[in-house]
Amino acid sequence: MAYPDGLLHEGENVVVHKHPHWKMLLGPVLVLFVVVGGFSYLAALVAATPWRVTVWIALGVVGLGLIAWFTLAPLARWRTTHFVITTNRLMVREGVFTRSGIDIPMWRINSVRFRRGLVDRVFGCGTLVVESASDEPLEFDDIPQVEQVQTLLHREVGDGSEHRAQEG
């Protein structure tokens, strides 16, 4: 069962369900390699000293703390962030311990656009900008295949307005 199934209304279907692009994990993985490599090097330097066990324990505690804070926490945030387009609304859910979310009904969306810088183009992602009846546009960063998502969202917004016109 996909994540948002319990949040769907009767007759509502998921069109797109994505996590942020994996490029946001490059920094945390780099931190993992630097911490493991650096702390292994430091552990090797103190291997011949009589107080090596104490230093190894200290290095292990500090290293695990750094890995938990700078690698595991961003991985958990990435995994628990969901960008979902359904037939009726746009949903974004994020957070590990404290969850937050936003739902935008399709009929409230005025325009959808995207922005892709050079790095985003290389990785195949971008920022989706959704203008709704709210004061300011909402920006969703690191959306994979942002052009396709923008097209699908635009289609769903159009389908919803055509459906409302037929009912009225």
Side-chain angles (χ1 to χ4, degrees):
M1 176 165 72
Y3 167 77
D5 287 349
L7 301 174
L8 299 179
H9 301 286
E10 189 173 323
E12 185 176 25
N13 296 312
V14 173
V15 177
V16 174
H17 178 198
K18 294 190 179 282
H19 294 284
H21 195 272
W22 57 265
K23 84 168 187 170
M24 71 178 289
L25 297 175
L26 290 177
V29 169
L30 180 62
V31 167
L32 174 69
F33 289 146
V34 168
V35 167
V36 169
F39 280 57
S40 296
Y41 177 73
L42 292 174
L45 284 179
V46 298
T49 62
W51 34 270
R52 68 181 172 270
V53 174
T54 306
V55 174
W56 285 346
I57 291 172
L59 286 174
V61 168
V62 171
L64 287 175
L66 290 172
I67 289 170
W69 189 263
F70 292 108
T71 301
L72 297 179
L75 177 65
R77 276 192 300 276
W78 173 82
R79 185 70 183 111
T80 59
T81 299
H82 300 270
F83 180 85
V84 182
I85 298 172
T86 71
T87 51
N88 297 340
R89 59 193 163 144
L90 167 67
M91 297 188 301
V92 177
R93 300 286 186 270
E94 56 192 355
V96 179
F97 299 112
T98 303
R99 301 277 301 157
S100 64
I102 185 169
D103 290 6
I104 305 171
M106 289 297 174
W107 61 271
R108 297 207 42 178
I109 296 176
N110 296 330
S111 70
V112 181
R113 56 191 163 97
F114 67 90
R115 186 175 55 244
R116 293 175 72 187
L118 181 61
V119 174
D120 289 337
R121 291 178 72 184
V122 168
F123 284 108
C125 63
T127 300
L128 190 69
V129 181
V130 177
E131 292 183 25
S132 65
S134 66
D135 293 336
E136 295 183 24
L138 298 170
E139 294 189 4
F140 303 103
D141 297 323
D142 295 326
I143 302 295
Q145 302 165 337
V146 70
E147 290 183 53
Q148 293 173 357
V149 171
Q150 186 253 356
T151 301
L152 287 170
L153 184 55
H154 183 71
R155 186 188 73 207
E156 290 302 318
V157 168
D159 287 349
S161 64
E162 292 167 9
H163 179 69
R164 286 187 306 279
Q166 290 173 354
E167 287 180 348

